[in-house]
Amino acid sequence: MSRLIAQKLFTKQSMAPSLLCIRSYHPIAKDFVKPITIEPLTYTTDSLQSKVLDHCLSNNVPKYGFKEKSIVESIKQLELSPSLVSVLGASNSPSFVHSSPAVLELIKYHLVTKRYELTKDIPQENIDHNNGLPSLEELLVKRLQMDIPIGSQLTDLFAQLSMPSQFLMETALPELLNLADDMIYFSNEKDHFDMAWYTKRLGVAFTYVASKLFMAQDISPNFVETMNFAHEKLNNVMKLGDYYNNTEEFAWYTLMVSVNLIKSQLSRN
Amino acid sequence: MYRRSIVSKVTQKKPLSKLSPLRAKSSPTTENTNEQTAKFEQFSSAQKAYLDRVVRVDQAGELGADYIYRGQIYVLSHKHPHLRPILDHMWKQEVHHRSTFNNLQLKHRTRPSLITPLWKLGATAMGVVPAMLSPEAAMACTEAVETVIGNHYNEQLRCLANQFNMEKTDGTKDEPEEIKKLTDTIKEFRDQELEHLDTAIKNDSHMAVPYKLLTEGIKSICKVAIWTAERV
């Protein structure tokens, strides 16, 4: 019986992880070979694809935005074959309404590598949430600052990310949740094992998106206004959590008091 | 189980290369010696998904057990004070199980079950309602729940023993340390759950009035709950 179950589990190819648990179980890293790719990406960091996309992000995207033109320019500048454009987009399915697969790959690469960079300097083992970790706000601001070079292209990026499509469900949303998860795990924020686990992640993701939207229209020098906005927004979201906890505690207290009151009244007679 | 223990013994006896102690001595920190021992290949996505499920469903299950005993204690401790120490003992063990899986969930970054509030509510009801019928019915409830949980843990143990013999970089095969630990944890908990089952039978669970109806009903509810908690 158990063998049957095991076989069913492990031979089934379609055990695709659901939206919420793309990076589900994290093994203890020191016992395992270091993975050569950053998870949703299918190529290594020293591959040709990474080289082109990296060059494109740092040199051409700030100028031309998330468009095919910046990829083509990068390929030209690196003196590679122009057919590489179709290789780049190989892992995305083409869509009539969305940008070309290569551009989608560029956006995916941007999201994934920036998320990876955010926590790269933090030691990945023996995470102690009480000391030695940055605060949630520091990580949030750090992530926002990473996008300062492409500040003028953010509106375009948002349009691409939020367009209802396969890309939104398979890449944009999971990456947003992964980012929120990383921010909470690698900061000194308290983590939870009930519904608060979800609400905290949603709260952080919401704060990040709101700050990014603000950033897209920010014209202050070095996006000072955005950083202030993020600070305030995060404080508000965390305060909301406190309100909820206090209300719950008070309701439970009241319930217990009234049950005990009724009990004592009944036993008196 | 048998196969696993043999494999792990073999790999423990296998000597390291002659040079490795020298290298270890010259290296300044203990971390470097760790790096020289063979590492495991990465888990496949199916293996990860399975472990993810195991942690989630066991966490939800122990949460349920915690609340069931809480409900029973709340109802029974005044009318039947002789049951109080028995229930307290079982409850404390469940609290320990629950906190163990909570820590595992945070450590391995899996998500908790999305319908945790529903599990809390359902488990409280499952503790309170039979206890209100009679103390025997409460014990029958314990018996049914622990039977299902015992079987469920056994199934997990079989799968962990069969499917996690991982390839190492030096060509040998072994189970990663975390799988061994998880197996030991589940074994220990399974034994304690079966102890609870014995306790329930000793305390007249078979005397409960609609015995068949109660136990079979609760068993099927538990199975549905396990099925759901694995997925949602």
Side-chain angles (χ1 to χ4, degrees), chain A residues 220-233:
Chain A
S220 62
N222 225 3
F223 296 96
V224 188
E225 291 291 316
T226 307
M227 305 310 156
N228 291 339
F229 177 84
H231 167 78
E232 217 149 88
K233 200 89 196 165

Side-chain angles (χ1 to χ4, degrees), chain A:
Chain A
M1 180 66 189
S2 78
R3 183 169 290 175
L4 271 180
I5 292 169
Q7 264 175 8
K8 233 201 269 171
L9 266 177
F10 286 94
T11 51
K12 224 193 323 183
Q13 292 292 314
S14 64
M15 233 180 115
S18 72
L19 175 66
L20 279 171
C21 57
I22 294 287
R23 301 187 306 146
S24 54
Y25 181 90
H26 289 62
I28 301 169
K30 71 173 168 51
D31 295 341
F32 291 85
V33 179
K34 211 172 171 233
I36 45 170
T37 57
I38 310 174
E39 204 160 293
L41 301 179
T42 47
Y43 37 84
T44 55
T45 40
D46 54 353
S47 63
L48 200 57
Q49 287 102 311
S50 300
K51 215 183 280 170
V52 174
L53 293 174
D54 215 39
H55 182 272
C56 184
L57 270 184
S58 44
N59 298 318
N60 290 323
V61 168
K63 244 185 280 170
Y64 306 111
F66 288 90
K67 301 212 171 65
E68 205 149 50
K69 189 178 178 197
S70 41
I71 301 176
V72 174
E73 285 293 320
S74 275
I75 291 173
K76 245 190 241 164
Q77 284 158 15
L78 291 170
E79 293 172 359
L80 296 163
S81 150
S83 64
L84 205 67
V85 178
S86 55
V87 176
L88 284 177
S91 54
N92 299 308
S93 53
S95 153
F96 283 116
V97 287
H98 219 303
S99 317
S100 82
V103 174
L104 295 184
E105 192 59 36
L106 178 65
I107 296 173
K108 194 201 276 180
Y109 186 83
H110 164 71
L111 296 175
V112 173
T113 50
K114 289 279 161 67
R115 166 168 65 73
Y116 180 72
E117 250 170 62
L118 182 66
T119 56
K120 206 175 55 181
D121 303 331
I122 302 170
Q124 308 278 313
E125 288 158 34
N126 300 326
I127 291 277
D128 179 8
H129 285 268
N130 294 322
N131 57 47
L133 288 172
S135 70
L136 187 57
E137 195 191 322
E138 278 164 21
L139 283 182
L140 181 69
V141 168
K142 193 178 162 194
R143 178 69 188 82
L144 290 173
Q145 277 168 348
M146 280 178 181
D147 282 351
I148 288 181
I150 56 159
S152 53
Q153 312 296 345
L154 281 176
T155 323
D156 181 36
L157 178 65
F158 254 98
Q160 307 244 28
L161 283 175
S162 55
M163 191 180 286
S165 62
Q166 201 183 1
F167 186 72
L168 174 74
M169 299 312 286
E170 282 179 357
T171 306
L173 275 182
E175 269 311 308
L176 178 62
L177 294 175
N178 282 344
L179 179 69
D181 186 44
D182 270 8
M183 278 183 187
I184 291 169
Y185 184 75
F186 288 108
S187 67
N188 54 14
E189 197 63 36
K190 186 178 178 289
D191 213 341
H192 305 267
F193 32 75
D194 48 11
M195 286 310 284
W197 190 94
Y198 291 94
T199 42
K200 196 169 248 182
R201 271 149 187 78
L202 283 179
V204 171
F206 166 75
T207 313
Y208 175 70
V209 171
S211 313
K212 257 316 181 34
L213 278 173
F214 190 92
M215 195 174 179
Q217 297 178 351
D218 192 2
I219 44 166
S220 62
N222 225 3
F223 296 96
V224 188
E225 291 291 316
T226 307
M227 305 310 156
N228 291 339
F229 177 84
H231 167 78
E232 217 149 88
K233 200 89 196 165
L234 192 66
N235 270 353
N236 285 342
V237 168
M238 290 300 151
K239 239 191 264 164
L240 213 62
D242 283 346
Y243 288 154
Y244 174 79
N245 285 339
N246 293 343
T247 319
E248 193 185 68
E249 202 178 326
F250 180 71
W252 189 244
Y253 165 77
T254 318
L255 182 75
M256 281 298 127
V257 165
S258 30
V259 167
N260 285 333
L261 189 72
I262 295 165
K263 263 185 171 177
S264 68
Q265 292 298 320
L266 286 177
S267 64
R268 186 179 279 181
N269 303 327

Side-chain angles (χ1 to χ4, degrees), chain A residues 1-3 5-6, chain B residues 1 50 54 58 146-162 183 185-194 197 226:
Chain A
M1 180 66 189
S2 78
R3 183 169 290 175
I5 292 169
Chain B
M1 291 299 79
Y50 183 73
V54 167
D58 290 355
E146 303 294 12
T147 312
V148 176
I149 290 183
N151 284 336
H152 172 69
Y153 276 155
N154 274 335
E155 245 162 45
Q156 285 185 349
L157 286 173
R158 278 183 214 120
C159 194
L160 286 176
N162 284 338
T183 311
T185 313
I186 294 181
K187 258 191 221 166
E188 186 198 333
F189 290 177
R190 181 216 33 205
D191 292 345
Q192 288 179 351
E193 306 291 359
L194 294 181
L197 174 62
I226 286 173

Side-chain angles (χ1 to χ4, degrees), chain B residues 120-140:
Chain B
K120 286 184 184 170
L121 211 69
T124 313
M126 203 185 260
V128 167
V129 173
M132 276 160 110
L133 288 178
S134 68
E136 287 81 25
M139 288 299 162

Side-chain angles (χ1 to χ4, degrees), chain B residues 22-201:
Chain B
L22 292 176
R23 257 184 252 135
K25 261 180 209 164
S26 65
S27 59
T29 53
T30 48
E31 272 183 19
N32 285 359
T33 54
N34 279 343
E35 274 172 25
Q36 279 157 13
T37 59
K39 296 197 172 191
F40 289 97
E41 298 296 334
Q42 285 284 317
F43 281 130
S44 71
S45 61
Q47 280 172 323
K48 272 191 199 170
Y50 183 73
L51 290 174
D52 184 49
R53 278 176 161 210
V54 167
V55 174
R56 182 168 47 255
V57 72
D58 290 355
Q59 184 193 26
E62 297 298 352
L63 171 138
D66 179 4
Y67 276 77
I68 289 175
Y69 285 117
R70 263 190 222 193
Q72 289 184 351
I73 290 172
Y74 187 76
V75 177
L76 291 177
S77 59
H78 286 292
K79 278 185 192 163
H80 306 274
H82 68 284
L83 288 176
R84 178 79 196 236
I86 300 167
L87 289 174
D88 260 351
H89 173 69
M90 297 200 282
W91 179 52
K92 270 176 196 144
Q93 285 187 335
E94 297 296 353
V95 170
H96 167 66
H97 297 178
R98 189 183 163 197
S99 69
T100 308
F101 277 112
N102 282 347
N103 291 335
L104 274 179
Q105 183 240 318
L106 294 185
K107 190 174 164 196
H108 293 296
R109 303 177 65 184
T110 63
R111 65 188 177 89
S113 178
L114 185 57
I115 36 179
T116 306
L118 189 70
W119 299 140
K120 286 184 184 170
L121 211 69
T124 313
M126 203 185 260
V128 167
V129 173
M132 276 160 110
L133 288 178
S134 68
E136 287 81 25
M139 288 299 162
C141 167
T142 306
E143 187 198 332
V145 171
E146 303 294 12
T147 312
V148 176
I149 290 183
N151 284 336
H152 172 69
Y153 276 155
N154 274 335
E155 245 162 45
Q156 285 185 349
L157 286 173
R158 278 183 214 120
C159 194
L160 286 176
N162 284 338
Q163 305 289 335
F164 287 88
N165 205 0
M166 307 276 294
E167 191 110 10
K168 269 178 146 180
T169 40
D170 61 357
T172 54
K173 275 187 157 191
D174 194 8
E175 277 184 355
E177 199 53 42
E178 54 188 291
I179 298 294
K180 282 180 195 165
K181 260 191 199 161
L182 183 64
T183 311
D184 289 344
T185 313
I186 294 181
K187 258 191 221 166
E188 186 198 333
F189 290 177
R190 181 216 33 205
D191 292 345
Q192 288 179 351
E193 306 291 359
L194 294 181
E195 240 176 69
H196 298 175
L197 174 62
D198 287 344
T199 316
I201 295 174

